[in-house]
Amino acid sequence: MKLKEAACPLGRPRAFDCEKALDAALLVFWEKGYEGASLADLTRAMGINRPSLYAAFGNKEALFRKVLDRYLAKASLTMQEAFREPTARGVVEHWLRLNADNLTDPKRPRGCLVVHGALVCGDESSPIRQELIARREAGQAAFLERFKRAKAEGDLPPESDPAGLARFVSAVTYGMAVEAMNGASRAELRSLARTALKAWPV
């Protein structure tokens, strides 16, 4: 799953660093969610005023979409690393271990932007909620294709259900994000991952 990082619009020079501004906005959205992040929060963190934000990134929704692209471009590198494992079980084991480490990285906010960015929101924010659903489904689809291949190659039992396994991995992944938000430690999340792997078909 390849995702492009968002960049600032071209055409005229900016008086600020767009990359740093997007990273600052990312942290605000990550910590407060889409609706919880006010324009005042965003402009303060980005070090710009509202006219500059609108000129460079569009409105709040457009800014969030750019931030989401940036977030997932980095997350996709983790998925690509896990997908290099030769077996489906190895892919999942590697993925969950990296997920536990990333979710508890002391240099980053807890949890996952794609999970808690807009799980519940008002009608005006519904497009963002739908966008996040689509992004989560895209990740699940990547696992589904990998598990279909594993079944075809005999790496999974003939009676295995690739779609069910992909949904299982997604549920564990996002459940770990919720646990991280609740304060679970890295060791606890790794233990959760090991427990989940006991359900893997043999």
Side-chain angles (χ1 to χ4, degrees):
M1 182 174 64
K2 294 183 179 180
L3 295 162
K4 296 181 180 179
E5 287 195 29
C8 288
L10 301 177
R12 59 176 176 167
R14 302 290 179 189
F16 58 91
D17 187 320
C18 285
E19 300 296 309
K20 290 183 179 179
L22 283 172
D23 284 339
L26 168 58
L27 291 176
V28 174
F29 282 126
W30 198 340
E31 291 172 347
K32 299 191 174 187
Y34 178 73
E35 286 197 340
S38 68
L39 284 174
D41 294 329
L42 292 165
T43 53
R44 186 183 309 112
M46 297 166 77
I48 59 177
N49 56 30
R50 289 195 184 191
S52 294
L53 186 153
Y54 292 137
F57 306 108
N59 58 17
K60 179 182 174 182
E61 180 177 329
L63 173 63
F64 183 82
R65 292 179 188 277
K66 290 181 174 65
V67 160
L68 187 59
D69 284 341
R70 192 171 182 79
Y71 177 87
L72 287 175
K74 295 176 181 178
S76 70
L77 298 177
T78 300
M79 181 174 284
Q80 290 170 25
E81 179 180 337
F83 274 40
R84 294 190 190 104
E85 294 292 331
T87 66
R89 190 187 191 284
V91 167
V92 176
E93 183 175 13
H94 197 147
W95 167 254
L96 294 180
R97 184 173 66 252
L98 291 176
N99 193 47
D101 293 349
N102 290 335
L103 289 170
T104 54
D105 185 342
K107 298 178 182 178
R108 301 164 48 170
R110 284 270 176 154
C112 171
L113 177 64
V114 180
V115 175
H116 70 263
L119 276 179
V120 179
C121 58
D123 292 342
E124 290 185 0
S125 302
S126 182
I128 291 298
R129 186 173 68 86
Q130 293 301 321
E131 177 74 15
L132 289 175
I133 290 173
R135 301 301 183 105
R136 291 195 294 269
E137 289 178 343
Q140 185 172 310
F143 279 102
L144 172 58
E145 291 305 311
R146 179 63 183 83
F147 298 156
K148 284 182 177 179
R149 178 163 66 87
K151 183 175 180 178
E153 295 172 348
D155 179 37
L156 285 172
E159 69 276 11
S160 61
D161 176 14
L165 289 173
R167 192 172 295 110
F168 170 74
V169 172
S170 291
V172 174
T173 298
Y174 299 132
M176 290 173 70
V178 173
E179 287 297 307
M181 286 288 293
N182 291 341
S185 68
R186 178 169 296 180
E188 289 170 333
L189 291 185
R190 286 181 173 179
S191 176
L192 189 160
R194 289 193 297 271
T195 300
L197 282 166
K198 292 179 181 179
W200 194 256
V202 295

